[in-house]
Amino acid sequence: MHPSSPSVVIFGSSRPVTCAVMDYAHRLADAINARRPGFIAIETIEPERPAAFVGAIVRALRSGRIVHFQLPIEGWGNALLPGVVLMAARLMTRRGKIVISLHEWMSLNPLRHLSLVPDLLASDAFVFVSRQQRESFLTTPLVGRAKKEAAPVIPIGPNIMPAQIDPERVAAERVRLLASGERRAELVVGFFGALYTSKRPDMLLRTLAALHQRGTNARLLVCGDFLWDKPQDRQAFLDLADELGIRDWLDFRGRIDDEGELMATLSAADVFLLPFTDGISTRRGSFLAISQIAAPLVSTRPERSDEFDDTPVLRAKIESPATILCAVDASADDFAEAILLADRNRASAAPVELNALWDDAAVAHLAFYDGLSQPSPSAS
């Protein structure tokens, strides 16, 4: 199909904020278009333009295209409009198909769940990036059984994929992180990703404090920032660091847009800590990014034993002796002990090659789109 006439349009936000879902959308579009040039397009639009928002979706549907929403998107914040535009568009035309990829479902707050109800009712099909999220969605009464059971799980690929990691850059970052004198660190604990409740930013600081209480001069490297619509959370984080007496041992870098710089900075860490409240899973882009680095990892156990059955390369990562998985309700002392154990197993840490995941995702999405475009069989 000609590039000016895509078969699928992904709608999203153009806000310059930390949003792994939109990063994913662009990576997915690139992977799909590499196989079928011009098959998929991304259109960015904001809730502040409601008429334009609904109008763009209606135009795509009326042309017989598939409209694909990726939810939730940080750029839209807590705006209610994205949760109703698909229903509004569907009321204006019966043509085309509507698809929603739910990157998160089980951990959405109740108000966000309610805001998505109209869009869920208007959708023709769903996609999940994690078995864990799909399983929780199967219990919702908002969607018919057939649609829920037909929803595939298509794991994501890494949003961060540098061509290579510059060893000189890593060495320079290492010197910067360790510092010297009274504040010289002997261990650097790294964190990557957007900071919000399910990432437990407070636990990052409490674990750092626990390491110091054990006599380990550790430094916490944070590459990521808080949600744009909750600026008070960053200050609360820094205030807690002061309260715990470890502010001088916190290196808060915020969002780093350059992939080479980001991966070189992260590669200077000794061990990573990702204390997810819902367990480590295939949907976590931060986990995928750091898996490409030969460094130990501490996280929380997956909620499903089969969570990584579709991605054996990631299963090998979490089963490595250099990966220590704690209970979701583990204490800061537990995480501190796990970090020290993981660091002792550093020789077993190895980088994981994940580029093929995007090829797999592209193939699976194309098969999904092709199936969705086929006319429904007649009822018997």
Side-chain angles (χ1 to χ4, degrees):
M1 180 166 287
H2 191 275
S4 64
S5 182
S7 297
V8 179
V9 180
I10 294 178
F11 283 87
S13 172
S14 61
R15 291 181 190 269
V17 297
T18 302
C19 186
V21 170
M22 280 309 298
D23 291 340
Y24 159 87
H26 285 283
R27 293 283 190 189
L28 177 62
D30 288 345
I32 289 175
N33 286 335
R35 290 178 171 270
R36 292 190 196 173
F39 183 84
I40 194 165
I42 293 179
E43 186 165 345
T44 57
I45 198 159
E46 307 301 339
E48 290 80 0
R49 303 168 56 211
F53 204 165
V54 176
I57 295 170
V58 170
R59 285 192 297 274
L61 290 173
R62 282 178 175 165
S63 66
R65 296 170 183 169
I66 296 172
V67 166
H68 196 163
F69 257 37
Q70 311 284 329
L71 294 174
I73 292 177
E74 182 193 337
W76 288 331
N78 292 318
L80 296 178
L81 186 66
V84 300
V85 289
L86 295 179
M87 176 61 81
R90 179 50 81 205
L91 292 174
M92 298 176 70
T93 179
R94 300 306 301 171
R95 296 198 65 194
K97 296 287 187 179
I98 294 174
V99 175
I100 292 179
S101 283
L102 284 167
H103 292 250
E104 187 174 1
W105 176 254
M106 61 188 298
S107 53
L108 289 175
N109 66 50
L111 291 178
R112 181 63 66 87
H113 271 286
L114 289 174
S115 74
L116 295 182
V117 170
D119 279 355
L120 297 181
L121 297 177
S123 293
D124 297 292
F126 299 89
V127 174
F128 290 88
V129 300
S130 164
R131 290 179 179 232
Q132 172 197 48
Q133 299 300 313
R134 181 182 184 275
E135 185 71 15
S136 67
F137 186 72
L138 291 177
T139 64
T140 180
L142 300 172
V143 177
R145 178 179 176 182
K147 284 185 185 178
K148 289 188 292 188
E149 293 185 348
V153 174
I154 306 177
I156 67 175
N159 289 337
I160 309 300
M161 296 191 306
Q164 64 180 36
I165 299 174
D166 184 350
E168 293 185 1
R169 222 169 180 179
V170 175
E173 286 294 345
R174 181 74 177 166
V175 170
R176 177 181 176 184
L177 282 165
L178 291 177
S180 60
E182 294 182 355
R183 299 301 178 188
R184 177 171 175 77
E186 57 188 292
L187 182 72
V188 177
V189 179
F191 171 87
F192 168 61
L195 288 152
Y196 47 87
T197 304
S198 67
K199 305 287 186 69
R200 287 198 284 190
D202 65 313
M203 183 58 74
L204 296 174
L205 295 176
R206 297 185 191 282
T207 300
L208 179 64
L211 286 167
H212 279 264
Q213 291 168 2
R214 288 168 171 262
T216 300
N217 284 343
R219 177 158 285 113
L220 175 64
L221 167 68
V222 175
C223 294
D225 212 338
F226 291 85
L227 301 183
W228 69 272
D229 58 340
K230 296 182 179 180
Q232 70 280 2
D233 289 355
R234 184 190 299 111
Q235 189 57 53
F237 180 75
L238 298 176
D239 289 345
L240 179 58
D242 283 329
E243 179 184 330
L244 294 172
I246 42 88
R247 178 70 174 270
D248 290 339
W249 298 95
L250 169 64
D251 191 330
F252 187 88
R253 300 290 179 92
R255 178 181 171 92
I256 300 175
D257 290 309
D258 181 86
E259 291 188 0
E261 178 186 353
L262 172 62
M263 292 301 278
T265 303
L266 291 172
S267 295
D270 292 303
V271 59
F272 289 99
L273 173 60
L274 300 175
F276 302 125
T277 58
D278 53 355
I280 198 166
S281 69
T282 58
R283 78 178 183 91
R284 292 294 190 179
S286 51
F287 164 54
L288 270 63
I290 65 169
S291 291
Q292 299 171 98
I293 298 172
L297 166 67
V298 172
S299 189
T300 48
R301 300 183 190 115
E303 291 198 345
R304 292 181 58 88
S305 61
D306 62 352
E307 175 69 16
F308 292 92
D309 283 1
D310 296 325
T311 50
V313 66
L314 290 175
R315 174 170 289 282
K317 176 69 176 181
I318 67 169
E319 291 178 348
S320 163
T323 298
I324 307 298
L325 300 179
C326 301
V328 168
D329 60 354
S331 67
D333 282 335
D334 293 332
F335 281 117
E337 182 178 354
I339 285 172
L340 295 176
L341 175 58
D343 185 54
R344 289 196 294 271
N345 294 336
R346 188 184 308 181
S348 299
V352 175
E353 174 58 60
L354 298 176
N355 289 4
L357 290 182
W358 284 118
D359 294 330
D360 296 341
V363 170
H365 273 86
L366 285 170
F368 170 77
Y369 293 140
D370 290 345
L372 195 63
S373 299
Q374 299 297 319
S376 300
S378 300
S380 56

